[in-house]
Amino acid sequence: MSMGLTRHQAAAAPKVFQLKHRLGEATVIKLLVVVLKCFCDSVRVPDKLSAAELIETAEVLAATYTHDSIKDIMLALKEARVGGYKFYQSVDAGKVFDIVSSYFEKKVDWLNSQHLDTKARSTSAEHSAVAQLVAAGAAVGGIGQRLDPTHPNHDSLRRKLTITNGKARRGLITPEQAEQQRQQVQQANQRKARTDWQPHAAAQRRIESRNTTEDRRLLAKYSQPNQ
């Protein structure tokens, strides 16, 4: 009955009080009697629990360990049988209670260890997530600082950069795709100076004519004496 049974399975199994509500107390005691009978049959000793003692022991276990599972009791008896417990030619109620009590003392330590392990894994995962966010934020900040604030499309480029990094953090795009999009932003951010640019000759003449006309208008306006 207890073949392959583990502490995790026993801890996750329905508790005795839950089985009492679901199946009834009499059924729970019968199940415990079966467990105890199988245990006694598996131990090679001449003196074992009688039928009345089996029922009485099952009743005490059901009343004592209400918030533990029957599988816990099965595992306790199994560990005692295979772990070298000294029965000294007999199995009585006192030895059963001693076995089960010792098991639950160890279970408390095991549960505490499981809690600490889970907490450590959770903390490690949180630290890893924070580190990733910090690294991503630093990357965004570094690239953002390199964006030309005078660029006419500065806001659009920064927004695209933010979206790219958000997708990368959520795994919606691969790191290679994210890097490619960042490079595209940087390329769009570059503005080459056109120091060699000069207007067309006709356009240059129109510009000079317009400037000359404006200069004459201003000169005529401000050179008139006050009336």
Side-chain angles (χ1 to χ4, degrees):
M1 294 175 64
S2 60
M3 184 177 297
L5 185 60
T6 65
R7 287 183 183 269
H8 288 284
Q9 293 172 338
K15 306 303 181 278
V16 170
F17 80 92
Q18 294 173 325
L19 293 177
K20 285 182 179 180
H21 287 297
R22 189 184 309 169
L23 305 175
E25 184 174 3
T27 301
V28 171
I29 292 174
K30 288 179 182 178
L31 290 173
L32 286 170
V33 168
V34 172
V35 170
L36 292 171
K37 182 65 168 60
C38 291
F39 169 68
C40 289
D41 291 344
S42 67
V43 179
R44 296 182 180 180
V45 294
D47 189 9
K48 303 179 182 181
L49 291 169
S50 65
E53 289 173 333
L54 286 171
I55 295 174
E56 183 179 358
T57 303
E59 290 175 344
V60 173
L61 291 175
T64 304
Y65 300 103
T66 57
H67 285 68
D68 297 290
S69 69
I70 291 180
K71 288 188 176 182
D72 273 315
I73 296 173
M74 292 169 59
L75 188 57
L77 298 174
K78 173 188 175 182
E79 290 183 354
R81 180 173 56 82
V82 301
Y85 184 87
K86 303 298 183 182
F87 292 99
Y88 298 108
Q89 301 299 309
S90 67
V91 175
D92 55 32
K95 290 177 180 176
V96 171
F97 296 146
D98 178 62
I99 289 170
V100 175
S101 175
S102 177
Y103 167 85
F104 283 115
E105 288 177 0
K106 295 176 182 177
K107 181 183 176 182
V108 170
D109 294 336
W110 177 78
L111 288 174
N112 185 53
S113 175
Q114 292 295 304
H115 172 71
L116 293 177
D117 288 346
T118 301
K119 185 176 180 180
R121 287 194 297 269
S122 176
T123 302
S124 177
E126 290 176 358
H127 287 171
S128 177
V130 170
Q132 291 178 0
L133 289 175
V134 170
V140 173
I143 297 175
Q145 290 174 359
R146 294 196 296 271
L147 291 178
D148 183 1
T150 64
H151 196 289
N153 295 324
H154 177 268
D155 291 340
S156 176
L157 293 175
R158 179 176 288 277
R159 185 161 51 251
K160 181 177 181 180
L161 191 61
T162 301
I163 293 173
T164 294
N165 285 280
K167 289 182 177 180
R169 284 197 302 273
R170 294 192 297 272
L172 300 178
I173 57 177
T174 65
E176 292 77 13
Q177 291 173 324
E179 182 60 27
Q180 182 181 8
Q181 293 183 18
R182 293 188 187 106
Q183 290 177 359
Q184 291 174 353
V185 170
Q186 284 301 308
Q187 290 174 358
N189 182 56
Q190 300 298 323
R191 290 195 297 171
K192 296 181 180 180
R194 298 294 302 275
T195 57
D196 60 337
W197 182 86
Q198 294 294 334
H200 190 271
Q204 182 65 38
R205 287 194 295 271
R206 287 195 296 271
I207 292 173
E208 292 175 353
S209 176
R210 186 167 57 249
N211 291 340
T212 300
T213 301
E214 181 65 15
D215 290 342
R216 290 174 179 174
R217 185 184 68 80
L218 293 174
L219 179 61
K221 178 179 179 180
Y222 292 104
S223 63
Q224 294 178 359
N226 293 330
Q227 300 294 332

